[in-house]
């Protein structure tokens, strides 16, 4: 039922490679987010966007970058992957109203060898 | 410091039984409290959102309560099913910024046995 899609679902790749995690939503939401989640731990916000050409860093320091050229698309890029980047990355979107829920994708599980 | 604490960390119950999960928070100023269900390998799915003026909200067999005075919330699951096995995450939003910053708990891992 989710209208927010993340690809790939799983990625195993070597150190030093450039990686782009894709996230697309079809709900026309202005707000989009990237979270990092490790097993048994809370979600940590790494990037967010209020709309096209708007991007901000979140609470957790991350070496990744994001872009928001189109409303529906919010890709995350790692220029040079390291083992410390191994984690689950979740993308979410929401309406501008604070009392509306976030809709999450099913995540990308990233493993850097 | 704004925090969200959930208990228990994990819980095992038999199919058909009821259970209650707890969430305590120190987030201020408060905007709303959300409960999400996260199945293994999937993204979280919203169950309920409650604002300051709401003290209970139901979604099928899930009923959430909120006591804004004591800063406590609970999620009650009635007549549990095997499909209820998941992590249940409590999330509190503040109203100190346009973004409405979200504070996440670590979740309660619920396992329902047949």
């Amino acid at each position: 039922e989710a209208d927010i899609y993340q690809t790939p679902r799983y990625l195993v790749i070597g150190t030093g490679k450039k990686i782009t995690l894709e996230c697309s939503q079809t709900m026309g939401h202005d707000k989009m987010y990237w979270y990092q989640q490790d097993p048994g731990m809370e979600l940590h916000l790494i990037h967010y966007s209020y709309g096209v050409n708007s991007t901000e860093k979140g609470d957790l320091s991350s070496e990744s970058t994001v872009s928001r050229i189109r409303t529906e698309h919010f890709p995350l890029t790692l220029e040079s992957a390291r083992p410390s980047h191994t984690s689950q990355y979740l993308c979410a979107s929401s309406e501008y109203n604070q009392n509306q829920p976030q809709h999450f994708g099913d995540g990308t599980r990233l493993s850097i060898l | 410091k704004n925090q969200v604490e959930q208990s228990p960390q994990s819980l095992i119950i038999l199919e058909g039984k009821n259970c209650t999960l707890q969430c305590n928070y120190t987030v201020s100023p408060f905007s709303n409290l959300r409960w999400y269900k996260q199945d293994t390998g999937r993204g979280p799915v919203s169950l309920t959102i409650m604002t300051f003026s709401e003290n209970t909200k139901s979604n099928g067999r899930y009923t959430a309560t909120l006591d804004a005075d004591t800063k406590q919330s609970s999620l009650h699951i009635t007549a549990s099913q095997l499909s209820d096995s998941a992590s249940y995450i409590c999330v509190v939003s503040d109203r100190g910024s346009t973004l409405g910053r979200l504070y996440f708990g670590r979740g309660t891992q619920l396992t329902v046995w047949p």
Side-chain angles (χ1 to χ4, degrees):
Chain A
E1 73 184 29
D3 295 316
I4 180 163
Y5 307 97
Q6 291 187 243
T7 57
R9 288 293 314 276
Y10 305 92
L11 180 61
V12 181
I13 200 165
T15 298
K17 300 293 186 182
K18 180 178 179 179
I19 300 166
T20 296
L21 308 184
E22 301 289 348
C23 175
S24 295
Q25 51 98 2
T26 60
M27 296 169 282
H29 288 165
D30 288 319
K31 290 183 178 178
M32 295 190 74
Y33 316 78
W34 276 103
Y35 291 92
Q36 191 170 333
Q37 184 182 32
D38 293 313
M41 302 296 289
E42 65 267 44
L43 277 71
H44 290 286
L45 181 68
I46 51 176
H47 297 283
Y48 61 94
S49 167
Y50 288 130
V52 171
N53 294 326
S54 152
T55 61
E56 301 287 344
K57 287 188 179 294
D59 309 313
L60 183 67
S61 175
S62 174
E63 294 165 346
S64 59
T65 59
V66 292
S67 63
R68 189 90 184 273
I69 299 173
R70 304 198 315 265
T71 297
E72 62 271 22
H73 196 212
F74 191 41
L76 180 145
T77 298
L78 279 164
E79 289 293 333
S80 180
R82 293 209 292 266
S84 60
H85 296 140
T86 294
S87 187
Q88 165 139 297
Y89 293 84
L90 288 163
C91 180
S93 71
S94 69
E95 295 180 26
Y96 210 81
N97 185 322
Q98 282 190 30
N99 292 328
Q100 292 298 315
Q102 289 183 317
H103 297 259
F104 285 85
D106 283 334
T108 293
R109 185 164 297 280
L110 178 64
S111 295
I112 309 300
L113 304 178
Chain B
K1 181 181 176 183
N2 288 324
Q3 285 185 309
V4 177
E5 301 286 345
Q6 292 187 244
S7 62
Q9 185 175 349
S10 62
L11 180 63
I12 299 174
I13 61 173
L14 294 177
E15 187 178 15
K17 299 296 186 183
N18 303 335
C19 68
T20 300
L21 313 180
Q22 300 290 344
C23 174
N24 296 336
Y25 62 93
T26 60
V27 176
S28 181
F30 174 86
S31 177
N32 59 63
L33 185 144
R34 310 149 184 235
W35 283 96
Y36 284 87
K37 177 188 179 189
Q38 185 175 23
D39 292 318
T40 301
R42 305 296 297 273
V45 174
S46 177
L47 295 175
T48 63
I49 296 180
M50 289 182 292
T51 60
F52 186 88
S53 59
E54 297 172 298
N55 55 23
T56 187
K57 184 166 277 190
S58 292
N59 178 356
R61 294 180 296 103
Y62 301 102
T63 299
T65 65
L66 172 65
D67 186 334
D69 291 331
T70 61
K71 298 188 177 181
Q72 296 180 325
S73 176
S74 65
L75 180 69
H76 186 75
I77 304 175
T78 304
S80 60
Q81 300 176 357
L82 298 179
S83 59
D84 292 331
S85 295
S87 178
Y88 291 84
I89 303 171
C90 177
V91 186
V92 181
S93 174
D94 73 12
R95 53 181 171 84
S97 66
T98 303
L99 179 65
R101 185 176 171 200
L102 300 179
Y103 296 86
F104 288 80
R106 293 187 176 185
T108 291
Q109 183 66 47
L110 175 66
T111 303
V112 181
W113 283 2

